[in-house]
Amino acid sequence: MSKEQRLGEIIAEHHGREGPLMPILHDVQAEFGCVDAESEAIIAKGLNLSRADVHGVVSFYHDFHTAADQRPEVQICRAEACKARGVEALMTDAEAAAGERVKLSTVYCLGLCSVGPNARIGDDLHARLDSTRLTKLIESA
Ligand code: FES
C-alpha cells in the first residue's frame, strides 16, 4: 500500500466526524513519524481545506513534526512501579548519555513492573536497570 493510499484510509476513518483534522494528524504522526508537506497536501485535499490551514495546525502544536526524527530511540518506563523501583534517580545520567544523539521517550508501563526500572529499544526490553546498565544501553543505541 502506498503512503497516499494509507493517508486516504486514515482520512476516511475520521471523515464525517466533528473536527476530523486533529485525530487525522495524530494518526498520521503515529504511523509515519511526522506530518510532512506531502501529507499536509493530501489531508488538505481530503478535508477540502487549504494547505495553509493544515500547516497552521501542524506548526502550532509541538506534538507534530514536519520531518521524521531519525535518531535512535530509547523508551524509558516512568510509570508507578518503575518509579517505586528508582527510575527517576537514573534520569540525569540517562539524559547526559543521550545528549542530542539519542531520543529518550517516556512510556507508561512496559509490562515488566516487578523487574523495573525498564526500558525498550525497538522490540527489545531491558529490565532491572541501574545507572551503569542504562547508560551503556543508551550509548549503544
Ligand atoms: S511500571 Fe514500568 S514496566 Fe510497568
Side-chain angles (χ1 to χ4, degrees), residues 8-68:
E9 283 186 355
I10 292 171
I11 293 165
E13 286 168 18
H14 298 286
H15 206 277
R17 70 190 282 185
E18 198 170 319
L21 181 56
M22 289 298 282
I24 288 170
L25 293 176
H26 280 290
D27 284 0
V28 170
Q29 172 82 33
E31 179 128 356
F32 299 105
C34 66
V35 183
D36 61 11
E38 178 191 7
S39 300
E40 285 180 358
I42 293 169
I43 293 166
K45 187 175 178 194
L47 296 180
N48 200 23
L49 297 170
S50 72
R51 166 101 192 277
D53 289 335
V54 176
H55 184 70
V57 174
V58 170
S59 59
F60 181 79
Y61 291 100
H62 295 294
D63 281 354
F64 301 128
H65 307 289
T66 54

Side-chain angles (χ1 to χ4, degrees), residues 77 79 81-82 109-113 118:
C77 177
C82 285
C109 199
L110 294 168
L112 299 169
C113 310
N118 302 311

Side-chain angles (χ1 to χ4, degrees), residues 102-115:
V102 175
K103 177 183 175 185
L104 290 186
S105 300
T106 295
V107 294
Y108 294 95
C109 199
L110 294 168
L112 299 169
C113 310
S114 64
V115 291

